[in-house]
């Protein structure tokens, strides 16, 4: 491999890696906040925090990698122009066509990673995430309940205390439950033992045996009611996000290929678009980063970032339009992918030529 190719590949790869690390740090903070909010609302058991964080990041990679690719390339090419290295490279006859090989050697593997994440790893991570939450909701251990301590009831105003619990988290002993509906009505439930049960619809119940239940108000009223029961079933707050294995978002890409419904077609095109857009953004980054030695480079980086935002927003909106029937199913997202790819190829292979032609035409008109 020529030394120039090795030099360009190292410059491109290091810049993309540095940009990706920064974006991942920012993304981890946002994903961590979302997971904590889901835990606080009772949607995700606390014991699954780290696993859910990793799966969320894996699902977001098809959106992060194209941005890291574009901004990293623009930073690298902009530095070459700023340090006057690109004019020297151009003076020895290295143009856009000659730079295409080292560029594709860097862009190609990243596009393959984006394709793998978008077509396989992302949907797999989403399915595993939802299935882990469903399985964890069947166990009080994964729901964050610990023997000997008061634990808030997820999705409700109240606490629960157990003195002992079975290893699988389904059986419990010496139970105390306090609940408040927020309107001044509260009840206290005690039991010698109980267990967690889940019906066919996915509703979770605490089945308590041999205990007492006290109902009353927290506004100072003295009218309380005491009941003794042999068996009491308490419905726990339902999880807002139910796992639907038949939803298009949960289906594998192979399964979507044989499904011709609007939702499935929209999801399929939504998975195909990211790697193709990543390739277009990679090609577009080189001409967009073109600048003079003393020219500010961050303005062009902003243009590239805006181009990425427009592409991603149109991709997301296009999926909704396909699901709603506003766009023909056969058209898919090609109305977005093909123009962006054509613009990227045109910008790359005509880098600077259009400006020179206009300048020559102006000189001829003056003569």
């Amino acid at each position: 491999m020529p030394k120039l190719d090795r030099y360009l590949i190292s410059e491109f790869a290091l810049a993309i890696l540095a940009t990706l690390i920064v974006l991942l740090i920012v993304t981890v903070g946002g994903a961590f906040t979302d997971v904590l909010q889901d835990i606080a609302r009772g949607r995700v058991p606390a014991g699954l925090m780290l696993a859910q964080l990793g799966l969320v990041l894996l699902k977001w990679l098809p959106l992060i990698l194209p941005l890291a690719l574009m901004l990293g390339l623009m930073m690298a090419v902009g530095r070459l122009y700023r340090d006057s290295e690109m004019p020297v490279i151009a003076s020895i006859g290295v143009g856009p066509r000659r730079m295409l090989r080292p560029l594709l050697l860097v862009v190609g593997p990243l596009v393959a990673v984006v394709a793998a994440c978008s077509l396989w790893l992302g949907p797999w991570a989403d399915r595993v995430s939802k299935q882990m939450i469903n399985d964890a909701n069947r166990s009080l251990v994964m729901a964050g309940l610990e023997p000997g301590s008061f634990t808030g009831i997820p999705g409700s105003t109240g606490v629960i205390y157990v003195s002992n619990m079975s290893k699988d988290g389904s059986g419990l002993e010496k139970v105390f439950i306090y609940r408040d509906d927020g309107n001044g009505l509260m009840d206290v439930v005690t039991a010698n033992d109980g267990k967690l049960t889940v019906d066919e619809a996915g509703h979770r119940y605490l089945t308590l045996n041999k205990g007492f239940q006290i109902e009353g108000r927290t506004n100072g009223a003295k009218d309380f009611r005491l009941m003794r029961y042999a068996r009491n079933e308490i419905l726990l707050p339902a999880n807002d996000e139910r796992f639907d294995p038949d939803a298009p978002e949960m289906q594998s890409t192979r399964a979507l290929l044989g499904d011709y419904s609007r939702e499935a077609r929209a999801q399929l095109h939504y998975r195909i678009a990211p790697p193709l857009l990543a390739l277009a953004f990679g090609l577009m980054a080189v001409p967009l980063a073109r600048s003079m030695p003393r020219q500010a480079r961050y303005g062009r980086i902003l243009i590239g970032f805006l181009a990425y935002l427009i592409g991603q927003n149109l991709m997301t909106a296009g999926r909704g339009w396909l699901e709603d029937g506003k766009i023909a199913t056969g058209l898919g997202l090609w109305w977005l992918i093909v123009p962006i790819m054509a613009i990227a190829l045109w910008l790359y292979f005509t880098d600077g030529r259009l400006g020179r032609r206009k300048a020559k035409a102006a000189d001829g008109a003056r003569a």
Side-chain angles (χ1 to χ4, degrees), residues 40-118:
R41 295 171 182 171
R43 297 177 179 176
V44 178
L48 298 180
M49 182 180 66
L50 294 180
Q52 290 296 311
L53 181 60
L55 292 172
V56 168
L57 288 177
L58 192 60
K59 188 171 61 174
W60 285 2
L61 277 180
L63 301 178
I64 300 172
L65 284 175
L67 180 59
L69 174 63
M70 187 175 195
L71 296 183
L73 284 176
M74 294 190 69
M75 293 287 289
V77 176
R79 190 201 65 79
L80 294 177
Y81 276 109
R82 185 191 63 202
D83 296 342
S84 301
E85 295 184 25
M86 192 60 76
V88 174
I89 294 175
S91 67
I92 60 176
V94 177
R97 296 180 183 274
R98 177 62 181 80
M99 287 183 58
L100 188 60
R101 183 172 64 180
L103 180 65
L104 290 181
L105 287 176
V106 176
V107 174
L110 286 177
V111 171
V113 173
V114 174
C117 292
S118 179

Side-chain angles (χ1 to χ4, degrees), residues 8 15 19 33 54 78 92 113 136 138 144 155 192 207 250 268 302 307 313 350:
L8 292 176
T19 306
T33 302
I92 60 176
V113 173
R138 299 175 181 269
N192 291 329
T207 303
M250 301 294 107
L268 178 62
L302 180 60
N313 288 333
T350 62

Side-chain angles (χ1 to χ4, degrees), residues 107-166:
V107 174
L110 286 177
V111 171
V113 173
V114 174
C117 292
S118 179
L119 297 174
W120 177 59
L121 290 177
W124 172 82
D126 206 8
R127 289 195 302 272
V128 171
S129 173
K130 298 294 191 302
Q131 189 62 52
M132 287 177 65
I133 294 174
N134 273 14
D135 294 340
N137 286 332
R138 299 175 181 269
S139 171
L140 288 176
V141 174
M142 297 304 296
L145 188 64
E146 297 181 1
S149 62
F150 289 90
T151 305
I153 300 177
S156 175
T157 303
V159 294
I160 181 172
Y161 172 89
V162 296
S163 63
N164 195 12
M165 186 165 39
S166 62

Side-chain angles (χ1 to χ4, degrees), residues 30 46 62 83 89 120 132 184 190 194 210 214 227 241 245 266 270 311 320 326 337 354 356 367:
D83 296 342
I89 294 175
W120 177 59
M132 287 177 65
T190 62
K210 298 180 181 180
I214 302 174
M227 294 178 291
E241 296 182 1
Y270 187 73
K326 297 179 180 179
I337 298 172
L354 185 61
R356 289 199 297 269

Side-chain angles (χ1 to χ4, degrees), residues 163-207:
S163 63
N164 195 12
M165 186 165 39
S166 62
K167 293 182 179 180
D168 61 357
S170 60
L172 48 156
E173 299 177 359
K174 303 295 183 181
V175 184
F176 171 86
I177 301 175
Y178 170 82
R179 293 179 297 176
D180 186 349
D181 66 352
N183 296 321
L185 182 64
M186 68 89 180
D187 69 288
V188 177
V189 181
T190 62
N192 291 329
D193 60 83
K195 63 179 180 179
L196 177 69
T197 58
V198 182
D199 62 10
E200 297 180 354
H203 299 112
R204 300 180 301 166
Y205 291 89
L206 275 179
T207 303

Side-chain angles (χ1 to χ4, degrees), residues 282-359:
L283 294 174
M284 197 182 300
V286 176
L288 286 179
R290 180 184 178 89
S291 61
M292 302 302 293
R294 296 181 179 275
Q295 185 178 355
R297 56 175 176 169
Y298 295 105
R300 292 183 174 270
I301 292 178
L302 180 60
I303 294 176
F305 182 69
L306 290 177
Y308 166 83
L309 286 181
I310 293 173
Q312 292 293 341
N313 288 333
L314 286 177
M315 182 181 68
T316 304
R319 181 183 63 172
W321 295 337
L322 283 171
E323 293 176 349
D324 296 338
K326 297 179 180 179
I327 297 179
T329 305
L331 187 60
L333 291 178
W334 299 113
W335 57 270
L336 171 66
I337 298 172
V338 172
I340 290 182
M341 185 65 69
I343 292 174
L345 291 172
W346 178 77
L347 286 174
Y348 184 84
F349 288 106
T350 62
D351 185 15
R353 296 180 184 178
L354 185 61
R356 289 199 297 269
R357 288 176 180 174
K358 286 183 177 181

